[in-house]
Structures are given as structure tokens and as C-alpha cells.
């Protein structure tokens, strides 16, 4: 994984040990409903790379007593095979305290063959079948953290790829450690007040479009740029990113913005003046929802969305986004946006979730309430540390089951391995943004993207098959 991507992931997670984080954070005064009010963390602290924490310590759950180092030599070891995402600093190994007991987390690959090393943890973006640590050892689980879309590693969207792993943490609700709401801090984030319509009307009178597009990652398999290009024929769209660029951001500093994911306060204030934001994911997968969806809702704009087919399950109410797939053509979508733009009463129905009691989706509320990790929340582990403890608890349970079988083989069966399933990614074969594949010119890069994501190339298929059919893997799965 590129260094820049590593820093971005760690910084966005605010990675520290699971242990007792303290100090100021994004949560301010507690509201009457019991949830802390969202305060913008725009001092930049949550986006800086983490600093060294001093001597190697012991990571522990909030509120637990910090244990000593006795017995660490007998603990199961979790080896981060993707060392750039090791969530402890500055050393190479650290004891972690989890719900079921303790483990040692390490990024030192020299312990890979040790009998105590019970799990290898991989980051999906930089996993390559050709570089997999073979032979696969029979006593070890493979755990996958992959919160990104297939664009980052298309092999994992195919059954042979995902079934290489025993445990998963992905965007899918069906994964072992689900991360579908990784970009949503909480309901207070959604309830941030929108700009008054009068201010937005003045913005329009100054010549700005009703619809904003801010995207600098162009020509992705979701085929979003072709759709937006067609939509522009029927309604004005201000496009500020590298893709379909037709307008400049208001200041030179903002014009240097590298991606659409920046959280600069000046940029957010600018974006909040638009009534509609085009929110198109780079790939289409169930439960894959990013800041492209949640940020417009935070700012009080209506997302015009194409992405997760299951997105309705997660919305604050049943009238909060415009789904591109609900319209037979870009022209029909443009007509509907124009209608809402000219009818304030109808438009404001899409922002009703910002009012008291406006978030009515109990599934969303329950999912936020019961998840074991937080987004920039000092009271909860981030999902990276949380997944690490999930793997630790799984390995401790597996050790207990193996010991029970050894003590009484006639009465206690051998524990069956847990194997990841395609539903842990759940990404259908890509389709064109509009029209059909035959209408795309032969020299269009999307054709390559569709084929690349839609099927395994022969070399990758052979490599995956070799791993799955290797003698040691068969032993692991028996």
C-alpha cells in the first residue's frame, strides 16, 4: 500500500491504542436525547498522522485495568502482514487486552512461523495473491480488513479471492466485523443545520448551478463521469474536480485540493451553498457508502446518489436522497431536480431528518447504537483496533475449542474453520452508468474496467486456485 494511503487511513481513524484515549474530540455537550452534539473537529487534529506514543505499552479496553507483562510469552500472536497499518506505536509488538482475554499484536514478520502466531491480518488494498505468505500454516487464520471498494482490489470481489480468508471486516453488513457506517460519526452529524434557502437562492442569482459535482478520480468502473456528462445536457452542473472540470473553486488555496475527500472548513462552507450534490460511488456494492453520501447530508444538501443498491436501508428516513436508478434517463432526473429546485416546500421535505424526531429509521439508529467502534470518538476504539480485538477473541475461542477436543476427542469434535463468503463483499458485475456496454466506444477505458472487475484474468485465477488447492490450505479447511 502506498505510504500516502497508509497515512490517510491511520489519520482518518485517529489511530491510537484502544487504551483510554482522552482530551477533546468531536463530541461536545450532550443533547436532551442523550447523544452528544456534533462539533466540527476542524482544528485538523483528527487528520494528522499519529505521533509516537513513547515506550511500547499495553493496549486495553476503556475502563479496564492495565495489566502487567507477565504471561505475555504464552499469548496468541496476531501478525499484521500489512505492517503499514499496525495500530500501535512506536514498537513492533504490543500486548492487547480484549473482551475474551489478551493477545500480542505484532508487525514483525519473523514470528510468522511461530506456533503461537495464530492469525495473519491483511489489508485488502495491498493484498496480492502472487505475494501471499505460502505455504499457509495449518494452525493460522487469515483475517482481512478491506473497507474499500473493488476498485482497490478486484480479486476480493470473486469467490476464490474472498474465500482465502477466515475472518473479514468489510463495508458489508454480512462480514464478520461489519463496517458499513465507517463514514458516519453518528446521528448528530446528520442533524447539522442547513443554510437557509434564502442564502442558497442568492447563490443561484449569482450564476451558480443548482447541482454540484466534485470528483477528481475519473473514469472509474461505476461509469459515473459518462452519466454526469449526459446529465449536463439537461441541467447546469458546476464541476470543480478534475473530472468534467468546468468551474474553479473560489480561492487559489482551495484550487490546490487534491481530492474530493478533504475536510477543509472553507471548502465545506462553500459546498454547503449548493442545494444538490452529485454523490456517485466509484463502485457499486451492497452497503458500500462513503463520504460522498454522508457529507452532503451533513452539509444540508440533497445527495443525488448512485452507489449501494441497499442504500435505502441506511437512510435517516424514506425521503432524504434522490436515487439515480429511480429515473429512466438522465433527462428525467434533470427534470425532477429542476422541479425541486423551484418548489421550496417539496425540497425541504428532503431535509426533514434534520428536525427533532426526523430520523425515523430504527435500523440505522440501532446500527449506530450497537456498533463496537466509533468514528473519531474518544470513548470507543476505532474500527482498526476493534477488528484486531475481534480476531484476538476469535483465536482465543478457537484455542479453547482445540484444547477441549484434545482433552476429549471422542466427545468434542474438531472445531470447523470459519471461511469468508462472497456476501462479505457482495458486489455485482459493473454496468454502464446509462445505456448498455455495446454503446460504449471500443477505445473507452470503461470496457477494460468492466472486464477487469467482472471476471478474473487467467493468471490471477491460476494463482488463487493454486493457493486454495495447496496441501496446507486443504488441511486448514478440513
Amino acid at each position: 500500500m502506498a505510504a500516502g494511503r497508509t497515512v490517510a487511513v491511520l489519520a482518518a481513524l485517529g489511530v491510537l491504542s484502544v487504551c483510554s484515549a482522552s482530551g477533546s474530540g468531536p463530541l461536545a455537550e450532550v443533547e436532551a436525547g442523550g447523544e452528544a452534539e456534533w462539533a466540527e473537529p476542524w482544528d485538523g487534529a483528527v487528520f494528522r498522522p499519529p505521533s509516537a506514543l513513547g515506550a511500547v505499552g499495553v493496549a486495553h479496553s476503556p475502563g479496564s485495568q492495565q495489566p502487567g507483562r507477565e504471561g505475555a510469552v504464552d499469548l496468541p500472536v496476531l501478525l499484521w502482514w500489512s505492517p503499514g497499518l499496525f495500530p500501535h506505536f512506536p514498537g513492533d509488538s504490543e500486548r492487547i487486552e480484549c473482551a475474551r482475554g489478551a493477545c500480542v499484536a505484532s508487525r514483525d514478520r519473523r514470528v510468522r512461523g511461530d506456533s503461537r502466531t495464530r492469525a495473519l491480518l491483511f489489508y485488502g488494498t495491498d493484498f496480492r495473491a502472487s505475494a501471499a505468505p505460502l505455504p499457509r500454516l495449518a494452525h493460522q487464520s487469515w483475517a482481512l480488513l478491506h473497507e474499500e471498494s473493488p476498485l482497490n482490489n478486484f480479486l476480493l470481489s470473486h469467490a476464490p479471492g474472498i474465500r482465502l480468508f477466515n475472518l473479514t471486516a468489510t463495508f458489508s453488513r454480512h462480514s464478520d466485523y461489519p463496517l458499513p457506517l465507517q463514514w458516519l460519526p453518528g446521528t448528530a452529524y446528520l442533524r447539522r443545520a442547513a443554510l437557509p434557502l434564502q442564502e442558497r437562492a442568492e447563490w443561484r442569482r449569482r450564476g451558480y448551478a443548482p447541482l454540484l459535482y466534485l470528483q477528481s478520480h475519473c473514469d472509474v468502473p461505476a461509469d459515473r463521469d459518462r452519466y454526469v456528462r449526459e446529465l449536463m445536457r439537461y441541467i447546469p452542473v458546476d464541476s470543480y474536480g478534475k473530472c468534467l472540470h468546468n468551474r474553479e473553486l473560489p480561492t487559489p488555496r482551495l484550487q490546490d485540493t487534491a481530492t474530493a475527500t478533504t475536510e477543509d472548513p472553507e471548502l465545506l462552507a462553500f459546498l454547503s451553498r449548493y442545494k444538490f450534490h452529485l454523490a456517485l460511488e466509484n463502485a457499486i456494492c451492497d452497503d458500500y457508502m462513503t463520504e460522498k453520501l454522508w457529507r452532503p447530508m451533513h452539509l444540508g444538501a440533497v445527495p443525488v446518489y448512485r452507489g449501494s443498491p441497499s442504500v435505502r436501508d441506511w437512510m435517516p428516513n424514506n425521503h432524504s436522497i434522490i436515487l439515480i436508478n429511480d429515473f429512466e434517463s438522465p433527462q428525467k432526473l434533470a427534470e425532477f431536480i429542476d422541479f425541486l429546485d423551484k418548489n421550496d416546500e417539496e425540497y425541504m421535505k428532503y431535509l426533514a431528518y434534520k428536525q427533532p424526531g426526523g430520523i425515523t429509521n430504527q435500523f440505522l439508529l440501532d446500527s449506530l447504537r450497537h456498533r463496537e467502534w466509533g468514528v473519531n470518538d474518544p470513548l470507543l476504539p476505532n474500527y482498526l483496533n476493534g477488528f484486531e480485538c475481534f480476531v484476538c477473541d476469535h483465536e482465543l475461542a478457537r484455542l479453547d475449542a482445540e484444547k477441549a477436543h484434545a482433552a476429549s476427542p471422542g466427545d468434542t469434535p474438531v472445531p470447523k474453520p470459519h471461511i469468508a463468503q462472497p456476501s462479505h463483499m457482495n458486489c455485482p458485475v459493473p454496468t454502464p452508468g446509462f445505456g448498455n456496454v455495446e454503446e460504449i466506444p471500443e477505445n473507452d477505458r470503461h470496457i477494460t474496467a468492466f472486464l477487469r472487475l467482472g471476471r478474473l484474468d487467467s493468471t490471477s485465477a491460476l494463482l488463487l486456485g493454486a493457493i486454495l488447492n495447496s496441501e496446507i490450505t486443504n488441511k486448514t479447511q478440513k
Side-chain angles (χ1 to χ4, degrees):
M1 180 175 56
R5 174 61 185 160
T6 302
V7 170
V9 171
L10 293 173
L13 289 171
V15 168
L16 299 174
S17 295
V18 181
C19 56
S20 60
S22 61
S24 62
L27 304 181
E29 298 179 3
V30 177
E31 297 178 336
E35 182 184 352
E37 180 182 357
W38 179 260
E40 307 286 11
W42 302 143
D43 61 355
V46 297
F47 304 107
R48 297 192 193 111
S51 60
L53 302 181
V56 176
V58 181
H60 60 287
S61 301
S64 65
Q65 293 186 351
Q66 193 167 357
R69 297 197 173 261
E70 64 277 4
V73 70
D74 299 321
L75 298 178
V77 175
L78 315 179
L79 174 59
W80 282 90
W81 197 254
S82 302
L85 225 58
F86 184 66
H88 309 283
F89 301 90
D92 291 329
S93 297
E94 183 156 354
R95 172 173 172 157
I96 59 174
E97 292 291 328
C98 302
R100 196 179 183 96
C103 294
V104 172
S106 179
R107 59 179 172 183
D108 187 346
R109 290 189 174 187
R110 292 176 297 180
V111 305
R112 185 240 168 176
D114 196 296
S115 61
R116 294 168 299 174
T117 301
R118 299 283 299 181
L120 271 60
L121 281 63
F122 299 86
Y123 185 55
T125 297
D126 62 3
F127 176 80
R128 297 293 180 270
S130 58
L134 300 178
R136 185 168 178 174
L137 303 183
H139 68 284
Q140 291 175 351
S141 298
W142 280 15
L144 173 70
L145 174 68
H146 189 53
E147 86 289 15
E148 291 285 358
S149 78
L151 186 64
N152 292 70
N153 194 338
F154 69 97
L155 292 177
L156 301 176
S157 299
H158 299 273
I162 195 68
R163 286 178 59 83
L164 290 173
F165 300 92
N166 304 100
L167 303 172
T168 61
T170 76
F171 50 78
S172 171
R173 74 185 81 180
H174 302 297
S175 68
D176 300 303
Y177 193 79
L179 306 173
L181 299 176
Q182 59 179 295
W183 288 100
L184 181 60
T187 55
Y189 181 81
L190 295 174
R191 287 199 293 265
R192 177 185 187 267
L195 282 181
L197 285 180
Q198 296 87 336
E199 290 191 33
R200 294 182 173 189
E202 173 60 27
W203 191 248
R204 294 295 312 286
R205 285 192 290 270
R206 292 169 57 185
Y208 289 89
L211 191 56
L212 168 114
Y213 189 50
L214 180 60
Q215 187 57 58
S216 292
H217 191 178
C218 311
D219 297 322
V220 298
D223 201 22
R224 58 191 174 200
D225 294 335
R226 269 197 343 119
Y227 188 93
V228 176
R229 186 182 294 111
E230 181 71 9
L231 183 66
M232 286 175 166
R233 296 177 55 194
Y234 306 105
I235 192 169
V237 178
D238 287 345
S239 182
Y240 293 95
K242 295 178 181 178
C243 309
L244 307 179
H245 181 89
N246 64 11
R247 195 153 194 166
E248 296 293 343
L249 288 165
T251 66
R253 187 176 67 82
L254 292 183
Q255 291 169 17
D256 288 338
T257 301
T259 72
T261 61
T262 181
E263 301 293 333
D264 185 278
E266 182 183 353
L267 177 62
L268 292 178
F270 177 78
L271 300 182
S272 67
R273 298 181 180 276
Y274 283 86
K275 294 172 70 174
F276 304 92
H277 287 198
L278 280 165
L280 290 79
E281 307 289 4
N282 63 33
I284 310 299
C285 303
D286 278 350
D287 301 336
Y288 179 64
M289 302 164 292
T290 70
E291 82 288 353
K292 296 176 185 64
L293 169 65
W294 301 114
R295 185 191 291 127
M297 301 182 77
H298 171 62
L299 296 177
V302 177
V304 180
Y305 184 77
R306 183 173 186 254
S308 168
S310 60
V311 67
R312 280 192 174 96
D313 294 350
W314 303 97
M315 288 298 93
N317 60 32
N318 60 6
H319 203 77
S320 49
I321 61 172
I322 298 171
L323 296 181
I324 287 175
N325 288 351
D326 285 348
F327 297 85
E328 63 183 43
S329 68
Q331 181 177 4
K332 293 296 184 182
L333 172 63
E335 292 171 357
F336 183 70
I337 294 172
D338 184 62
F339 165 76
L340 291 180
D341 186 38
K342 296 174 180 176
N343 292 270
D344 290 350
E345 184 177 349
E346 292 298 317
Y347 175 81
M348 289 304 295
K349 291 179 181 179
Y350 283 82
L351 301 182
Y353 64 88
K354 290 187 175 293
Q355 304 304 316
I359 300 179
T360 59
N361 183 351
Q362 196 60 45
F363 177 69
L364 173 66
L365 294 171
D366 290 343
S367 297
L368 287 168
R369 185 178 299 117
H370 298 306
R371 68 183 180 185
E372 300 173 357
W373 45 272
V375 180
N376 299 324
D377 187 341
L379 302 179
L380 291 172
N382 58 66
Y383 62 72
L384 199 158
N385 289 110
F387 180 57
E388 190 179 60
C389 260
F390 174 81
V391 176
C392 173
D393 289 337
H394 177 272
E395 292 311 306
L396 290 170
R398 191 162 68 95
L399 276 170
D400 289 344
E402 290 173 357
K403 291 175 182 177
H405 170 71
S408 182
D411 299 324
T412 307
V414 177
K416 295 182 179 180
H418 179 81
I419 303 297
Q421 299 299 315
S423 63
H424 294 198
M425 290 292 288
N426 214 15
C427 303
V429 175
T431 58
F434 73 97
N436 53 63
V437 173
E438 288 72 25
E439 296 173 351
I440 301 176
E442 292 184 3
N443 61 349
D444 195 305
R445 282 183 291 171
H446 293 98
I447 291 290
T448 302
F450 292 145
L451 294 177
R452 185 167 179 251
L453 281 165
R455 67 184 185 189
L456 290 175
D457 62 77
S458 58
T459 302
S460 298
L462 288 172
L463 286 168
L464 289 173
I467 296 173
L468 285 171
N469 294 323
S470 66
E471 179 181 358
I472 197 65
T473 303
N474 287 337
K475 290 180 181 178
T476 304
Q477 295 183 357
K478 285 180 180 178

